[in-house]
Amino acid sequence: MMNRITLKQLSFLVIVFFLFSFTASVAQTISGKVFDKETGEPVLGATILLTGSSVATASGEDGSYLLKNLPTNKSLEIECRFIGYSVHKETIVLQKGETKNIDFFLVPEDKQLDGVVVTGVRRRNTETAMISNIKNALTVSTGISAAQIVKTSDSDAAEIIKRVPGISLIENRFIIVRGLSQRYNNVSINNGAVPSSEADGRAFSFDIIPSSNIDNMMIIKSPTAELPGDFSGGFIKISTKNMPDENSLSLSVGTGINTVTHFKDFSLLKSSSTEWLGFDRCARPLSKDFPSHLGSITDPSRITYYTKTGFNNDWNVKTFRPLPDLKLNLTWNRKIGDKVGTILTFGYSNVNKTVPDMQNTRYGIYSATADVPTIEKNYIDNQFTNEVKINAMNNWSFILDSRNRFEFRNLFSQIGKNRFTERYGTSTVSGEYYENQTEMLYSSRLSYVGQLAGLHTLDEDMTQTLNWTVDYSYANKMEPDRRIIKNIGGIPADKVITPDLPSYNDMINRYDQKLYDHIASVGADYKKNFSDRTWNPEIKSGIYGEYRIREYTPREFIYRYDRLSGDERVDYINLPYTEMMNEKWLGYDEVYIEETTRKSNAYDGKNSIAAAYVEGVFPFGAFQANLGVRAEWWNMSIKYDRAISASQILMTEYKYDKVSVLPSFNATYSFNDKNLVRLAYGRSVNRPEFREVSPAVYYDFELFAEVQGNPDLKMATIDNVDLRYELYPSVGETVSVGLFYKNFRNPIEWNFIDMGGSYRYSYENARSAYTTGVEVDIRKSLDFINIPDLTLVLNAAWVKSRVKFSDEGLVKEKDRPLQGQSPYIVNAGLYYTSSEKIGLSASLLYNIIGKRIVGVGKSTSVDGNSDYDVPDAYEMPRNVLDLTINKTFGKIVSLKLGIKDILAQSVIMKQFPTTTIDGVKQEREQITRKYTPGRSVSLSLSLKF
């Protein structure tokens, strides 16, 4: 199968898309959309009719309508009406075959109608509503709505958010905002705190939230007093669906294949009976009677017992050809009268993924003498992953009256991942030899976010509001019985390296890891509008408290066979690993398990934040200023046992305590209703996380390196400045151009230490850093070239950053870009939407990111000569093209076809060492990692009742 599409083929695809969109547009007698004039949001269910006749229709979800079979050559009065709005009338004359487009902008009437209070919920899940929110926001922000999400084949929040200007992804889950890694970004779900499900730092896994649960996502890029101070790149506010518009039941069933995964051999360790539910509670965990530390057991019979029964000793690997992926989604919307509503969703997915023949190479210092790379480790990996996701959401809304509303929200996610990796290649560390390694990893992540919220208007004039939230979040990450087998052997005379070369066992390790995170938080926000008809200032204030605890417990084991005789040992180490765990070999006097856990790798952490803020919004004609200040007290402690002996206890505790005062200023000047400019300044912080300050050491198989924390880390402080111009040509359209600059003090970055043949990554405070850039965001209908059903979306960012390290020390770290920062990011999309009668929509989406640092290098020379450096590793740009086509059949059935990564270009990571030849410094390229992800094709059927 071809893995590349030529430029000619790509051009043909785009031309076909345009022609398809053009020819599918059917001229209507009268068509258009209905909007709320005050908010710009579409109005669903408005009646559009020809006065004095039976010709009528209703507006759809996006406000669109279609009115046909109208008489010609006479004056016609068209009415648009909807409860709570004044009637809007238009008079027209149509010629034979003539098409007209009329948009209605309805003006809301008083809320009291004939003694009945009309209560409603502002819709924020449409594209027009999202643009309206961005326009009216006090901060520099952007976002994406459910209406835009449904036009793509994106399955979760991680895939959705990469459509936003200045945002890219790492590991397909963690976001980079304006070149800043996940540690510099913060997340809330329905304005509540969320836990981290990762052991190695603060990182919210966006892939736990399915796209069907999301109402909208706002990304706020400039600090403001009402937001937590611990962010600099972006604060991502995820709002899940809430009050339903109508009673309905929706069911979606989907399937999919990947060109490098399906219809090919696939290998996994034998699964447990519960893995299809996203967790393993029976096959991999340690036995229930396993001791807290095996080092405390000295009785030979007990050691034999735990060696034989403490672990699952089934090492058989099954090879099969996977079935197509499966995805199920169920949504139940229920309104109970006009004041109570609930949304219940359930989702399930079972997906397989193969990464075949992945080059994985580690280099040392480039050899200037021979002008060739110095290869330390050169591997080929074949990786097979089965991932199961289960998610559920249940939200309730209770509208007591027009001034009081309560919401109870629940979000649950369970993700299980079974991964099998086979690795073979060569190592030149301590001599040249062949290596064959296998990793069997099962991990599960559970997340729950629960929230009770109240929204209250405190007076009849609606000038005072009080909103409050009480949240509890829980997350765990389990890695039961991770297994790593390492075999070594000689290099054949012909130097041809294959996975079946003779080798003998060097090491078998088993690991068990548990992480538990709990977060409780409470917050309240008060707003008062002081209106005297000529001036309308607004004052906001609020408080916030958060308490978080974490428990992290890793364990490590190794098999010893030093008690075997010489002949037995030779026989044993030459067995395949599937036979090495046969019970006949296991016992105290033969092959036995030994615990090598360092007790200092386990830790308990506590984190408290208390905050208060006050801010004012002051309008002066076309100018509006938002001034605020936030004070945050942060207290964190981490406790661990540094004793080496299993019988000793030497508890050590690190404490961190800091008060931060964070001013902010956001100003807007509106030239008119369509043009405005924003200027913003704010100070923010970035605090070290539990894992980053703990002494715990974790071996990362993909990096083939260890990761360890640094208890001497300091909090970073960031000053943020934004300037942005925004243009809103018409309803649903926007153009913006923005500049930003950020200055860091004590930024937290990765580094690594060469441990004599192996690497250990850690964290350090650089002296300072800056990042600056330009962002462009365009959303424009192509009606000006007579294709009204086609919308162009283009967002791009150009970013430059620099990290400056301390001048102290004999060997100085060189200044470099921030880790994870791309010099440019481009997202482009064509969205086609036909009339409601045709029921056809499509999107063609394009994405590319500039090369970014994914692995930091190391300076090794005293005089600063880069020829002796281990260079940074960069992920190289690749073009990504996705196509989605959606067709509805009536009001019940819809069919969606998605093709992701059409171009299927390879993922490539490179280093760029320098070497001096004949006095001229030259740059070389060397590939550290390369693999082909393949194309993914999905098909789903949806039913709505």
Side-chain angles (χ1 to χ4, degrees), residues 472-484:
Y472 169 72
S473 300
Y474 169 77
N476 70 36
K477 183 175 182 179
M478 306 292 187
E479 288 186 3
D481 198 17
R482 175 187 177 215
R483 310 176 188 184
I484 297 179

Side-chain angles (χ1 to χ4, degrees), residues 50 86 94 138 284 576 600 624 675 690 730 779 844 899 908:
L50 173 62
S86 299
L94 293 174
L138 299 172
R284 295 181 180 86
S600 59
Q624 181 171 269
N675 295 267
F690 292 131
S730 61
R779 174 180 293 274
L844 185 65
I899 307 175
I908 301 176

Side-chain angles (χ1 to χ4, degrees), residues 622-633:
F623 178 78
Q624 181 171 269
N626 177 10
L627 295 167
V629 63
R630 183 181 184 91
E632 290 190 347
W633 169 71

Side-chain angles (χ1 to χ4, degrees), residues 509-611:
N509 290 95
R510 303 181 84 152
Y511 304 82
D512 184 273
Q513 176 179 284
K514 296 180 176 68
L515 179 145
Y516 304 94
D517 241 352
H518 301 263
I519 299 179
S521 64
V522 59
D525 299 280
Y526 170 78
K527 181 171 68 174
K528 168 66 176 175
N529 183 277
F530 297 89
S531 176
D532 63 359
R533 296 186 180 180
T534 59
W535 196 43
N536 298 300
E538 188 176 88
I539 299 296
K540 297 180 181 179
S541 63
I543 57 174
Y544 177 78
E546 178 183 308
Y547 181 68
R548 175 183 173 192
I549 58 174
R550 170 178 283 191
E551 179 184 346
Y552 176 64
T553 310
R555 302 185 71 174
E556 181 177 349
F557 306 89
I558 188 171
Y559 283 94
R560 303 290 191 191
Y561 39 79
D562 53 291
R563 293 172 183 153
L564 293 175
S565 68
D567 291 340
E568 289 176 326
R569 190 179 305 177
V570 170
D571 290 341
Y572 182 73
I573 63 177
N574 283 284
L575 289 172
Y577 64 78
T578 53
E579 299 179 22
M580 295 179 76
M581 293 300 108
N582 190 298
E583 188 171 332
K584 71 178 182 179
W585 289 102
L586 303 181
Y588 176 79
D589 293 324
E590 298 171 290
V591 178
Y592 61 96
I593 194 78
E594 177 182 306
E595 182 157 5
T596 56
T597 301
R598 292 175 53 191
K599 293 201 293 181
S600 59
N601 285 349
Y603 63 85
D604 293 327
K606 296 180 181 180
N607 188 85
S608 299
I609 295 176

Side-chain angles (χ1 to χ4, degrees), residues 218-451:
M218 287 287 292
I219 296 86
I220 300 170
K221 298 182 178 180
S222 62
T224 182
E226 64 180 311
L227 293 178
D230 194 356
F231 86 94
S232 180
F235 189 91
I236 297 93
K237 300 181 72 172
I238 302 174
S239 297
T240 58
K241 294 179 178 178
N242 215 354
M243 188 72 168
D245 298 317
E246 58 183 355
N247 293 336
S248 65
L249 177 66
S250 301
L251 174 65
S252 174
V253 180
T255 187
I257 60 170
N258 180 273
T259 55
V260 300
T261 300
H262 295 88
F263 315 114
K264 296 177 173 63
D265 286 346
F266 194 89
S267 299
L268 282 179
L269 183 66
K270 185 178 178 181
S271 60
S272 73
S273 60
T274 59
E275 275 185 38
W276 68 279
L277 295 173
F279 65 92
D280 178 8
R281 290 292 183 268
C282 57
R284 295 181 180 86
L286 297 172
S287 63
K288 294 181 179 180
D289 61 347
F290 205 87
S292 59
H293 197 290
L294 196 57
S296 62
I297 306 299
T298 58
D299 183 353
S301 64
R302 301 303 296 170
I303 293 175
T304 297
Y305 172 76
Y306 291 122
T307 299
K308 290 184 175 182
T309 65
F311 302 85
N312 181 340
N313 286 323
D314 185 352
W315 292 70
N316 290 307
V317 175
K318 59 179 181 179
T319 299
F320 58 98
R321 295 201 167 186
L323 295 173
D325 298 337
L326 173 65
K327 295 185 178 181
L328 303 171
N329 282 286
L330 177 69
T331 301
W332 182 65
N333 296 324
R334 181 68 178 173
K335 292 187 71 175
I336 305 172
D338 293 327
K339 297 186 177 182
V340 179
T342 184
I343 295 179
L344 175 65
T345 69
F346 172 81
Y348 176 85
S349 68
N350 194 317
V351 176
N352 295 298
K353 179 66 176 177
T354 300
V355 181
D357 300 323
M358 177 171 63
Q359 177 184 337
N360 209 344
T361 307
R362 192 176 82 193
Y363 298 88
I365 298 171
Y366 191 87
S367 175
T369 304
D371 194 14
V372 294
T374 302
I375 299 176
E376 294 184 345
K377 293 182 181 293
N378 189 22
Y379 299 133
I380 296 295
D381 289 3
N382 286 283
Q383 191 172 91
F384 309 91
T385 304
N386 171 254
E387 185 174 67
V388 174
K389 294 182 184 179
I390 293 180
N391 58 78
M393 184 185 77
N394 186 211
N395 291 348
W396 287 83
S397 293
F398 305 90
I399 302 175
L400 300 187
D401 50 44
S402 60
R403 290 165 47 186
N404 295 280
R405 174 189 178 99
F406 294 93
E407 295 181 353
F408 180 48
R409 311 177 183 115
N410 300 272
L411 181 66
F412 169 84
S413 173
Q414 175 73 52
I415 300 177
K417 182 183 293 185
N418 188 359
R419 189 180 77 189
F420 179 78
T421 306
E422 293 179 309
R423 170 180 294 166
Y424 70 94
T426 59
S427 174
T428 60
V429 178
S430 301
E432 187 178 14
Y433 54 92
Y434 169 76
E435 280 191 285
N436 189 312
Q437 300 180 27
T438 302
E439 184 197 39
M440 304 171 185
L441 171 66
Y442 184 86
S443 64
S444 65
R445 294 182 285 137
L446 182 149
S447 298
Y448 168 76
V449 179
Q451 183 183 81

